[in-house]
Amino acid sequence: TQLLEQSPQFLSIQEGENLTVYCNSSSVFSSLQWYRQEPGEGPVLLVTVVTGGEVKKLKRLTFQFGDARKDSSLHITAAQPGDTGLYLCAGARARGSNYKLTFGKGTLLTVNP
Amino acid sequence: NAGVMQNPRHLVRRRGQEARLRCSPMKGHSHVYWYRQLPEEGLKFMVYLQKENIIDESGMPKERFSAEFPKEGPSILRIQQVVRGDSAAYFCASSSDGNTEAFFGQGTRLTVV
């Protein structure tokens, strides 16, 4: 059973476009993290969201945690080729268990110049 | 580089051989986690260790897999009698405690031939 569903699975856009990727679950998470992974590398943490409804911004990236803490979205404004990568969401099911993350399969984003 | 260090980056083993994967956590981190990323799958939690202790091994296969984090030296993930299905990327992460954000290494890509 895949607890975290990410959509779309693949996304190819032109430089300068905006995009949103989604991370959905029927389960509640105490926190949710977004990572970016490049080919041959490990995941790099972008942000952690903890509170339902929370919105965090990281330059051109905006992360939102759903009110019920079951879903999250990542919005990128004016995408650049350097944004290309696999975007992973990962949730911790209970406080004190942030080490035991449940990962989605990711959205593979390609930004074409 | 003060990040999580994993070696080797690539490992090729014949069926039936043993694979040893090493992970040195970030400086000051005493909590280590191992995850496995199978082709077309998301990262899956395997085991959580502190120095000389296994805290949670609920994600470890029951046979052939073991992990340790000795008082001195890196954490080791050992796979005995490897089979083709063990081919995957194995990632190590570390944190300062079990409830703070973890940082991932670059991974070891194991290929069983």
Side-chain angles (χ1 to χ4, degrees):
Chain A
T1 303
Q2 184 65 32
L3 292 180
L4 277 172
E5 297 284 346
Q6 290 192 246
S7 61
Q9 188 176 355
F10 302 97
L11 185 58
S12 181
I13 61 171
Q14 294 300 121
E15 182 176 1
E17 292 183 4
N18 302 332
L19 67 113
T20 302
V21 298
Y22 301 92
C23 175
N24 295 301
S25 175
S26 58
S27 302
V28 175
F29 291 94
S30 64
S31 66
L32 196 138
Q33 301 177 358
W34 283 92
Y35 293 82
R36 186 171 75 197
Q37 185 178 20
E38 298 189 15
E41 301 294 328
V44 175
L45 180 65
L46 298 174
V47 78
T48 300
V49 286
V50 178
T51 307
E54 183 176 4
V55 176
K56 281 192 174 179
K57 294 196 173 187
L58 184 66
K59 296 183 180 177
R60 293 177 293 100
L61 278 61
T62 302
F63 304 86
Q64 184 161 10
F65 201 12
D67 291 341
R69 290 186 287 125
K70 292 183 179 180
D71 52 81
S72 181
S73 63
L74 159 58
H75 182 79
I76 302 179
T77 303
Q80 298 177 0
D83 295 327
T84 293
L86 179 67
Y87 288 82
L88 298 165
C89 67
R93 295 295 301 277
R95 292 188 189 282
S97 69
N98 277 350
Y99 65 87
K100 199 168 181 177
L101 296 172
T102 299
F103 278 84
K105 292 186 181 181
T107 292
L108 185 59
L109 172 65
T110 303
V111 182
N112 302 298
Chain B
N1 185 349
V4 179
M5 302 300 293
Q6 291 189 247
N7 66 82
R9 292 290 307 274
H10 300 274
L11 182 61
V12 179
R13 284 288 178 265
R14 295 186 184 278
R15 281 179 295 171
Q17 290 185 319
E18 178 179 282
R20 282 193 173 206
L21 289 63
R22 289 176 291 277
C23 168
S24 295
M26 283 181 69
K27 188 175 181 180
H29 286 185
S30 59
H31 297 244
V32 164
Y33 325 91
W34 287 92
Y35 283 78
R36 177 166 66 173
Q37 188 173 38
L38 291 164
E40 309 302 322
E41 296 288 329
L43 283 92
K44 296 281 196 278
F45 168 79
M46 298 181 74
V47 63
Y48 163 33
L49 310 105
Q50 294 180 35
K51 287 282 188 181
E52 299 184 281
N53 286 305
I54 296 175
I55 306 302
D56 184 339
E57 56 181 348
S58 58
M60 287 279 270
K62 292 283 186 278
E63 297 176 348
R64 301 188 297 108
F65 285 71
S66 62
E68 63 177 8
F69 190 14
K71 188 176 180 181
E72 301 290 338
S75 174
I76 306 287
L77 179 67
R78 183 183 293 111
I79 310 172
Q80 296 177 303
Q81 299 174 340
V82 295
V83 300
R84 289 233 171 99
D86 297 332
S87 295
Y90 291 82
F91 291 96
C92 168
S94 74
S95 68
S96 56
D97 68 53
N99 200 35
T100 54
E101 293 160 342
F103 296 87
F104 282 81
Q106 292 178 304
T108 293
R109 275 133 190 97
L110 171 66
T111 302
V112 179
V113 297

